[in-house]
Each structure stands twice: as C-alpha cells, then as structure tokens.
C-alpha cells in the first residue's frame, strides 16, 4: 500500500512538472551567424544552435550574433550586448501571438517576421518599442539610455514622458530612464555624441557587418557610414579629415609651369655662336671702320689696314689681340701678309 502511494506521488509530480520543463526548454529560434564569442545559458553558441524561451544571450566586446525566430523574425545582437527572449507564444499557423524581448544593454537590429505587428514588443530600461511591421536599430547604454533608429515601416516608442512616433527612414528618438523622450529627427553624429559612444550604432556606421536581410536593411547607413568611422586607436571620426591630404597634392601640380623653363629657353643664347661662320669677316669691311684708331674696347688698328690676320689665318680683330703689341711683323715691305686671304 505504501509503495502504491509513493508511485502515485511520483507520477503526479511528473505530470505537474512536465509542462514547466517543456516551457523552459521551448525552442524559439536558432543562430544563423556567430562571430567571436556569443553565449547562451548553456554556454558558447555556434551556428545552427537552438535558442530557447527565457534564455539570455550575451556577446563579447567584439561579438556578433544573428538569430531567426520561428515566425521569420530576425534579430542581430551586436558587441557588448545582453538580451532575454522573455515571452514567446507560438501558434500552429506559422506566426506568434506574443514575442517579447528584454534588452538590458548593447546594440541590436530587428526585422519583423510573419506575425501580426501587435504581437511584437521590445522592452528597454527607458521604455517600450512598439513594432508596426518594420525594421529598426536600437541601442541601450549601461545607464539605460536608449536610442531607436527607424529603417523601414514605423515604430512607436513609449516611456514615462509619453510616446513618440517614428515614420520616416533614419528618424531617431533618444530616451532616458528618467522619462525624457526626444522628438523624432534624422540621425546624425550629434546623436552619437549625445549617447557618448561613436560606436553605439555599429550596423549603420559599418563597424560591424551583418549578413543576409539583416545587412540589407541598413543599406545606406543613414549617412553614418562615412561620417562616424572611429579609428582603432580611439581617434574620433571628426579627426579623419586630416587624413585627406588630397588638397595638398593640388599645390604639386603648379610645378608644371617649370616645364616652360625647359632647355628650350637657353637654346636662344646659342644663336650668337652662328657668327663664327666664314661670312662674318666681311662685316668689318664697312667704310666706317677706318675712321677710328681705336674700337670701342680700346684696341689699336692701323688706318691703312683694317683687317689683319695672323699666320694661321685667324682674324686678329675678332680675338682682341694688339696687331703691333706682340712684336710680330704683320706687314712685310708694305705688303699685307694676310692678303692672300682677301683674294
């Protein structure tokens, strides 16, 4: 009799605990991309590993995980993040009645699946993101401050200070746990400065690359891809412009004018060398020559003979030598020794 009671108690306990165990182990999706280190409650995750309801997913400071839920919803979990799949009520029609995740900190991208938009809810320390069939990025810092950037569709963010609507692509709101929610405006680098983290939205800035539809959803980066790239050494993206020495190369081009100063200019002075041809000796025979005893350089000339030549046939007048100062007899018996050259 005692044995029967014990057996009945064990059977009753199994019946009661079975639903709890099935819910705790309920599979809600799987990992489709894992980079660096991503872990769940059971340890490190790998591609194709299953994730379960109530499971907390964490990433390292360089980690990245992409997950697909049973209704086709896609979630990217960027570096330094922590999120829990809090509620997941699935029906047999291929959609969910309720899917709620709690984002404690980090950076995320969400793309809705096949379920009704009202079934989705993302809870952050600063408020709740209501999904309207959409794609968006959101960031939660360690103090609970939250930023939401719309990529497609529409989003409503509700905090203690009220609700704000995001309807245009690249609209952003920033909310704090104290209740303040900013008006929707286009995201820019000022938003990142407000958040105190240039890498708060790595999927838009390009610091982390996503695959598949999750990567395509943020194509264009809302203008952050080229404006906010942070260097590994911690240099702010605003310091990036000095690395653009392109304008400094333009001054190099003015060096082209040096090409006009090519050897073609010195070629002109060589033209005077042409008088060395045999024709010039006839020029000194102008009638004005005999009127002067000295030329402009103080050289002496015989009035009777304007042109003297040495024995080698060279023209003394052109070389500036004194026809009588060297003691050579330039005239013999009144005959011009260089006369033969005047024939």
């Amino acid at each position: 009799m005692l044995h029967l009671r014990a057996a009945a108690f064990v059977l009753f306990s199994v019946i009661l605990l079975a639903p709890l165990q099935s819910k705790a182990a309920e599979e809600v999706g799987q990992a489709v991309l894992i980079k660096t280190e991503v872990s769940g409650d059971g340890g490190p995750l790998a591609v194709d590993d299953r994730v379960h309801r109530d499971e907390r997913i964490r990433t390292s400071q360089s980690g990245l995980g992409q997950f697909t839920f049973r209704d086709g919803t896609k979630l990217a979990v960027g570096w330094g993040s922590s999120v829990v799949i809090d509620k997941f009520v699935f029906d047999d029609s291929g959609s969910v009645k309720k899917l709620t995740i709690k984002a404690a900190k980090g950076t995320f991208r969400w793309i809705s699946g096949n379920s009704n938009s009202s079934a989705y809810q993302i809870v952050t320390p600063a408020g709740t993101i209501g999904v309207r069939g959409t794609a968006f990025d959101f960031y939660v810092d360690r103090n609970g401050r939250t930023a939401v950037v719309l990529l497609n569709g529409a989003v409503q963010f509700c905090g203690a200070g009220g609700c704000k609507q995001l309807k245009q692509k690249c609209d952003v709101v920033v909310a704090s746990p104290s209740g303040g929610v900013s008006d929707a405006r286009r995201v820019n680098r000022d938003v990142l400065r407000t958040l105190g983290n240039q890498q708060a939205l790595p999927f838009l800035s390009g610091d982390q690359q996503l695959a598949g539809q999750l990567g395509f959803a943020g194509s264009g980066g809302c203008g952050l891809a080229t404006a906010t790239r942070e260097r590994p050494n911690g240099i702010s993206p605003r310091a990036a412009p000095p690395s653009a020495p392109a304008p400094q190369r333009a001054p190099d081009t003015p060096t082209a004018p040096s090409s006009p100063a090519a050897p073609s200019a010195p070629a002109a002075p060589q033209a005077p060398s042409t008088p060395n041809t045999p024709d010039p000796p006839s020029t000194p025979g102008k009638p004005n020559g005999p009127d002067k005893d000295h030329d402009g350089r103080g050289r002496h000339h015989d009035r009777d003979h304007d042109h003297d030549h040495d024995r080698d046939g060279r023209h003394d007048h052109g070389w500036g030598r004194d026809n009588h100062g060297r003691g050579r007899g330039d005239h013999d018996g009144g005959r011009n020794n260089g006369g033969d050259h005047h024939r």
Side-chain angles (χ1 to χ4, degrees):
M1 186 69 177
L2 183 59
H3 293 287
L4 291 176
R5 289 180 179 179
F9 177 78
V10 171
L11 179 62
F12 181 73
S13 299
V14 170
I15 293 174
L16 289 178
L17 293 176
L20 296 178
Q21 291 176 349
S22 63
K23 286 184 178 179
E26 182 181 7
E27 294 181 0
V28 298
Q30 69 181 54
V32 295
L33 183 145
I34 299 293
K35 290 184 179 180
T36 311
E37 184 179 347
V38 181
S39 62
D41 289 342
L45 293 173
V47 174
D48 294 333
D49 280 354
R50 301 296 190 263
V51 292
H52 306 84
R53 186 173 66 85
D54 295 330
E55 184 173 10
R56 180 177 294 276
I57 298 171
R58 299 179 179 87
T59 60
S60 66
Q61 292 303 315
S62 60
L64 172 64
Q66 290 185 204
F67 302 89
T68 299
F69 295 106
R70 290 170 64 181
D71 73 328
T73 296
K74 295 173 176 58
L75 176 68
V77 184
W79 47 33
S81 302
S82 175
V83 62
V84 176
I85 296 96
D86 185 53
K87 294 179 181 179
F88 189 88
V89 181
F90 188 76
D91 61 22
D92 295 333
S93 64
S95 61
V96 295
K97 295 180 179 180
K98 193 69 175 178
L99 173 55
T100 302
I101 68 170
K102 289 184 177 180
K105 65 173 183 175
T107 183
F108 309 88
R109 173 166 291 177
W110 170 283
I111 298 180
S112 299
N114 302 322
S115 302
N116 203 333
S117 297
S118 60
Y120 303 118
Q121 190 177 58
I122 294 96
V123 179
T124 74
T128 301
I129 303 172
V131 180
R132 300 291 181 267
T134 188
F136 57 91
D137 283 10
F138 63 103
Y139 167 76
V140 181
D141 69 14
R142 62 182 61 190
N143 297 319
R145 186 165 45 182
T146 301
V148 183
V149 181
L150 179 66
L151 301 177
N152 186 33
V155 163
Q156 176 179 271
F157 186 90
C158 294
C163 295
K164 299 291 183 180
Q165 302 287 334
L166 291 86
K167 299 179 180 180
Q168 299 293 326
K169 180 181 178 180
C170 299
D171 274 355
V172 61
V173 295
V174 178
S176 63
S178 61
V181 182
S182 70
D183 292 331
R185 61 188 179 97
R186 185 176 177 84
V187 66
N188 56 29
R189 66 182 66 183
D190 291 334
V191 173
L192 299 179
R193 284 197 290 269
T194 298
L195 296 171
N197 184 356
Q198 292 289 322
Q199 296 178 325
L201 299 168
F203 307 141
L204 291 176
S205 65
D207 290 313
Q208 282 195 305
Q209 301 292 330
L210 299 176
Q213 291 183 352
L214 279 166
F216 178 77
S219 59
C222 294
L224 296 180
T226 57
T228 62
R229 187 64 58 85
E230 179 152 348
R231 303 289 194 272
N233 59 7
I235 299 176
S236 170
R238 294 176 65 88
S243 66
Q248 297 178 356
R249 292 180 181 176
D252 295 341
T253 55
T255 57
S258 61
S259 58
S264 58
Q270 294 177 356
S273 62
T274 55
N276 292 333
T277 57
D279 298 335
S282 62
T283 57
K286 294 179 181 180
N288 294 335
D291 297 338
K292 295 182 182 180
D293 294 337
H294 297 79
D295 61 7
R297 299 158 93 178
R299 289 176 296 182
H300 180 268
H301 297 276
D302 192 334
R303 295 189 177 210
D304 296 331
H305 301 280
D306 290 334
H307 301 284
D308 294 335
H309 295 76
D310 61 10
R311 294 180 179 179
D312 297 330
R314 289 179 297 179
H315 183 238
D316 290 339
H317 181 275
W319 293 87
R321 289 181 297 181
D322 190 350
N323 293 337
H324 303 282
R326 296 183 180 267
R328 293 185 297 177
D330 292 336
H331 300 79
D332 185 9
R335 291 180 300 174
N336 186 355
N337 291 337
D340 294 337
H341 296 282
H342 289 282
R343 289 181 181 178

